[in-house]
Amino acid sequence: SVFENASRQLVTDQDLSATNEAFDFLKSELQRRETQQSVTPLVIVIDELAHLLSEVRSAEAILSSIAARGRSAQMHLIVTNQNLVGIPRALLSNLRLRVLVGQHDPVDAALLGQVAKQLPAPEVGYRLTQAQLVGHGQAGRLFWFTGFRPEPQTTSAQEVSEPEPHRRWSPD
């Protein structure tokens, strides 16, 4: 894998000192990368963005800077959150691609420029959940996370069989 030999850093809300140090690093890394021509891409993944923003004072300004200027410095953000509560508009406007998963809150969908209406699922396997890809300034593109319904099997309590191998997921 491309990421196997890459340097990784994990910080959590359990160690706010380390989290603050990580954001100091990200701030200086953005400044350093803006003056260099060739840099290795840096992917920053944040789960529960609103919680992070409420716990780490410097996070909003640094993430807003990375969202606004980081693409040219090969710094890429992937963030998750349950809803848009606590996400500043300035930061949200620079997150260029959004994925809405599951039942969409109409207010959140409207803030992202989408209509939160459910459409019928295609007849492929069975629908797990509906989602939308929302590009900045573009109409949402619906898709479904789908899978395959397992075949019902009749067995007696005395019969033991090998489990069936997992089938790989396919968008078809």
Side-chain angles (χ1 to χ4, degrees):
S1 161
V2 175
F3 297 107
E4 280 184 50
N5 296 323
S7 172
R8 293 177 210 124
Q9 179 69 35
L10 173 68
V11 293
T12 72
D13 61 350
Q14 303 299 311
D15 185 354
L16 289 178
S17 176
T19 303
N20 282 309
E21 288 176 17
F23 275 95
D24 290 342
F25 165 78
L26 291 174
K27 181 179 179 180
S28 64
E29 186 66 9
L30 177 60
Q31 293 167 347
R32 183 186 73 79
R33 286 168 173 258
E34 287 179 320
T35 63
Q36 293 191 347
Q37 295 292 340
S38 179
V39 292
T40 304
L42 176 62
V43 178
I44 303 152
V45 181
I46 298 169
D47 188 23
E48 296 297 339
L49 177 61
H51 178 69
L52 172 79
L53 294 174
S54 70
E55 294 292 320
V56 180
R57 291 182 189 176
S58 63
E60 181 180 337
I62 295 168
L63 291 175
S64 292
S65 294
I66 292 170
R69 304 187 328 260
R71 285 183 296 278
S72 62
Q74 293 293 307
M75 294 178 79
H76 308 284
L77 287 174
I78 300 173
V79 298
T80 68
N81 209 60
Q82 298 295 319
N83 54 46
L84 297 178
V85 175
I87 310 298
R89 180 90 172 122
L91 176 58
L92 185 60
S93 66
N94 281 304
L95 298 175
R96 308 296 282 182
L97 179 66
R98 297 94 178 231
V99 179
L100 284 73
V101 178
Q103 296 290 351
H104 313 307
D105 176 74
V107 174
D108 287 348
L111 285 171
L112 295 173
Q114 298 307 301
V115 176
K117 70 178 185 180
Q118 300 290 318
L119 295 178
E123 295 298 322
V124 178
Y126 64 94
R127 181 180 66 178
L128 296 177
T129 191
Q130 179 179 324
Q132 286 186 62
L133 282 177
V134 183
H136 187 69
Q138 301 172 356
R141 186 171 177 192
L142 293 174
F143 69 97
W144 287 264
F145 291 102
T146 61
F148 296 95
R149 187 178 309 274
E151 297 288 327
Q153 295 184 359
T154 56
T155 60
S156 68
Q158 297 166 350
E159 183 181 323
V160 177
S161 63
E162 291 293 317
E164 288 189 27
H166 293 295
R167 291 186 231 168
R168 294 185 61 87
W169 175 84
S170 169
D172 300 327

